[in-house]
């Protein structure tokens, strides 16, 4: 899918935040099932903090069962990890996965890493020990992929990677012959950065700060590299890259960079959390610095409509979670989706799409107020071929989803 699409929502109603909150989770999502998932994930996090990790995994399953209503007599027991509660982006990804498994009547279990990267390995072990038949894995550190792959392979538990895709070619090559690897789906991260840089140059901007996650993140790194290459080729200067490995540090770290470089034209937040933090940092310093970011976050859209700092947002509505869950479901149902050479699905190019001012109503109706894929559409994806699946992925866009809902 080679559509170049920008998100430049110049108007939004005062009900955006309410609509998003009502559609799922404590901060986001678009279905009532997703809202229940958010409640269960916070319960899982509390349980993890209160007991040993093995017990936490079991209690997390109980919390999920109580809130989603899908943890009884499901087709399969599936698990997924998430980084921590409170982030729109992370919760939307999890909710999209949950929606797929709810459509198939699966029992689900989720577990929080409480924003600790090193805890993810233990979380995967806990999900396996609690009896999960398959896993959707979110992993933001390249150096942990082999460990997690070895754990799943030794336990003979099928797995997919969602949103974060390993960047090491050797790992990818090994995964192609791993019988328990059901696929990987991630966004076109380099394209995100390129689109942001092109927009900035069109506005005549010449200097910026980048606010991002931990160094080496497989999503943020290609965004930074592509953005920097395009922006500098057009005459721009990146004054500083601010790396942050904690949600709590996003605003103060970005604020420190703005104190050092108060005259930059904008901050590029590689994810919506970083963009929102950059707006708060600029506001706190009394600067008129603009912010460009990636991720269709309710907070980002609110700030965009406010018009003070946030100026540009792009994203794909975290559909990687949806597609990855579909791959796992097919594998568990005896239909591993593979290409003509017998290789599992490997996608790292889901494109961000455009929502202009005149498209905003359609975007809200399809993605915020509704389910951008219906349960019937999801169930129809079971038992499909590789070509069928790739056609679905390559067709995904705002326009395609709006048309499907009409």
């Amino acid at each position: 899918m080679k559509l170049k699409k920008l998100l430049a929502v110049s108007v939004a109603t005062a009900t955006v935040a309410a609509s998003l909150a009502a559609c799922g989770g404590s901060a986001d999502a678009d279905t009532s099932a997703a809202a229940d998932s958010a409640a269960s994930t916070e319960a899982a996090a509390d349980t993890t903090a209160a007991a040993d990790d093995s017990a936490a995994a079991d209690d997390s399953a109980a919390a999920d069962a109580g809130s989603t209503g899908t943890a009884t007599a499901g087709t399969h027991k599936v698990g997924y990890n998430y980084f921590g509660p409170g982030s729109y982006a992370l919760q939307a990804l999890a909710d999209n996965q949950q929606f797929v498994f709810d459509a198939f009547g699966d029992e689900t279990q989720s577990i929080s890493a409480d924003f600790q990267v090193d805890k993810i390995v233990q979380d995967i072990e806990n999900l396996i020990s609690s009896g999960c038949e398959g896993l959707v894995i979110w992993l933001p550190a390249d150096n942990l992929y082999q460990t997690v792959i070895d754990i799943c392979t030794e336990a003979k538990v099928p797995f997919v990677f969602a949103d974060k895709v390993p960047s090491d070619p050797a790992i990818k090559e090994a995964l192609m012959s791993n019988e328990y690897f059901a696929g990987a789906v991630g966004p076109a991260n380099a394209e995100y950065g390129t689109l942001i840089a092109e927009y900035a140059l069109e506005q005549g901007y010449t200097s910026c700060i980048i606010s991002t996650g931990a160094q080496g993140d497989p999503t943020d790194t290609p965004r930074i590299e592509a953005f920097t290459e395009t922006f500098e080729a057009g005459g721009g200067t990146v004054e500083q890259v601010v790396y942050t490995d904690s949600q709590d540090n996003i605003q103060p770290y970005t604020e420190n960079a703005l104190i050092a470089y108060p005259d930059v034209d904008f901050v590029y937040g590689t994810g919506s959390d970083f963009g929102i933090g950059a707006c708060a940092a600029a506001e706190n310093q009394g600067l008129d610095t603009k912010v460009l970011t990636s991720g269709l976050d309710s907070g980002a859209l609110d700030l965009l409509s406010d018009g003070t700092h946030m100026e540009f947002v792009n994203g794909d509505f975290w559909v990687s979670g949806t597609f990855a869950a579909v791959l796992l479901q097919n594998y568990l149902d005896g239909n591993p989706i593979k290409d003509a050479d017998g290789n599992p699905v490997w996608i790292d190019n889901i494109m961000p799409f455009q929502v202009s001012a005149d498209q905003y109503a359609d975007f809200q109706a399809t993605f915020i107020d509704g389910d951008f894929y219906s349960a019937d559409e999801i169930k129809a994806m079971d038992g499909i071929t590789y070509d069928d699946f790739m056609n679905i992925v390559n067709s995904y866009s705002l326009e395609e989803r709006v048309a499907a809902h009409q």
Side-chain angles (χ1 to χ4, degrees):
M1 183 168 56
K2 294 298 181 183
L3 300 175
K4 281 198 174 183
K5 313 169 217 168
L6 314 176
L7 174 65
V9 184
S10 60
V11 294
T13 67
T15 60
V16 170
S19 298
L20 287 162
C23 292
S26 58
D28 57 274
D30 51 333
T31 66
S32 59
D36 292 335
S37 174
S40 70
T41 56
E42 292 209 22
D46 291 339
T47 304
T48 304
D52 65 74
D53 286 303
S54 179
D58 292 337
D59 288 344
S60 173
D64 283 341
S67 61
T68 66
T70 63
T72 56
T75 305
H76 302 285
K77 181 176 181 179
V78 293
Y80 58 87
N81 69 306
Y82 66 102
F83 201 36
S87 165
Y88 186 102
L90 297 174
Q91 189 62 50
L93 180 74
D95 290 342
N96 288 345
Q97 296 164 179
Q98 182 69 44
F99 185 81
V100 172
F101 296 131
D102 283 348
F104 289 108
D106 291 324
E107 177 183 350
T108 58
Q109 179 172 337
S110 60
I111 191 167
S112 168
D114 301 324
F115 299 106
Q116 300 175 50
V117 174
D118 291 342
K119 186 175 176 290
I120 292 176
V121 172
Q122 190 173 38
D123 290 345
I124 299 304
E125 292 175 328
N126 288 337
L127 288 170
I128 291 173
S129 66
S130 69
C132 289
E133 302 169 50
L135 300 178
V136 180
I137 298 171
W138 185 89
L139 189 58
D142 263 352
N143 64 321
L144 294 180
Y145 275 101
Q146 192 59 60
T147 300
V148 168
I149 291 167
D150 290 343
I151 290 170
C152 293
T153 303
E154 183 177 351
K156 299 181 180 181
V157 173
F159 61 98
V160 294
F161 292 119
D163 186 55
K164 307 285 189 182
V165 176
S167 61
D168 187 339
I171 289 180
K172 177 181 177 180
E173 183 179 359
L175 283 169
M176 291 300 102
S177 59
N178 187 312
E179 63 179 307
Y180 300 104
F181 176 58
V185 185
N189 290 305
E191 190 70 15
Y192 277 71
T194 298
L195 292 174
I196 294 283
E198 289 174 347
Y199 173 84
L201 292 170
E202 288 170 2
Q203 309 313 304
Y205 297 155
T206 61
S207 63
C208 75
I209 292 166
I210 298 175
S211 177
T212 188
Q215 199 159 2
D217 184 285
T219 293
D220 294 338
T221 299
R223 293 183 183 183
I224 294 169
E225 291 174 348
F227 169 84
T228 301
E229 180 180 356
T230 302
F231 190 57
E232 291 182 345
T237 301
V238 178
E239 299 290 358
Q240 183 178 344
V241 179
V242 180
Y243 292 102
T244 311
D245 57 4
S246 167
Q247 292 275 112
D248 294 338
N249 291 332
I250 292 174
Q251 180 179 336
Y253 283 13
T254 307
E255 197 164 331
N256 288 340
L258 285 171
I259 292 172
Y261 300 100
D263 297 325
V264 294
D265 294 316
F266 68 98
V267 176
Y268 171 33
T270 57
S272 54
D273 290 335
F274 305 109
I276 292 169
C279 287
E283 184 70 20
N284 204 38
Q285 287 299 309
L287 301 172
D288 60 2
T289 311
K290 296 301 180 182
V291 176
L292 318 178
T293 195
S294 298
L296 302 177
D297 189 315
S298 62
L301 292 174
D302 281 346
L303 290 166
L304 192 64
S305 66
D306 174 75
T308 302
H309 296 289
M310 189 72 74
E311 186 172 289
F312 185 96
V313 185
N314 62 9
D316 62 29
F317 213 70
W318 301 280
V319 73
S320 295
T322 303
F323 292 144
V326 167
L327 287 176
L328 183 62
Q329 185 72 36
N330 271 270
Y331 186 106
L332 294 174
D333 287 344
N335 180 51
I337 298 178
K338 298 185 178 183
D339 65 16
D341 296 323
N343 294 317
V345 171
W346 186 280
I347 297 172
D348 58 4
N349 62 349
I350 294 185
M351 295 285 287
F353 55 65
Q354 177 180 357
V355 181
S356 59
D358 60 352
Q359 292 174 308
Y360 185 79
D362 285 338
F363 172 77
Q364 180 169 343
T366 305
F367 287 82
I368 307 304
D369 297 337
D371 304 321
F372 63 99
Y373 280 108
S374 69
D376 286 341
E377 286 178 307
I378 292 296
K379 286 186 284 187
M381 295 180 194
D382 198 24
I384 61 177
T385 66
Y386 177 88
D387 288 342
D388 292 335
F389 182 79
M390 294 306 297
N391 285 336
I392 292 169
V393 173
N394 291 332
S395 298
Y396 176 72
S397 68
L398 171 62
E399 295 81 3
E400 184 265 341
R401 286 293 84 208
V402 169
H405 279 243
Q406 291 177 343

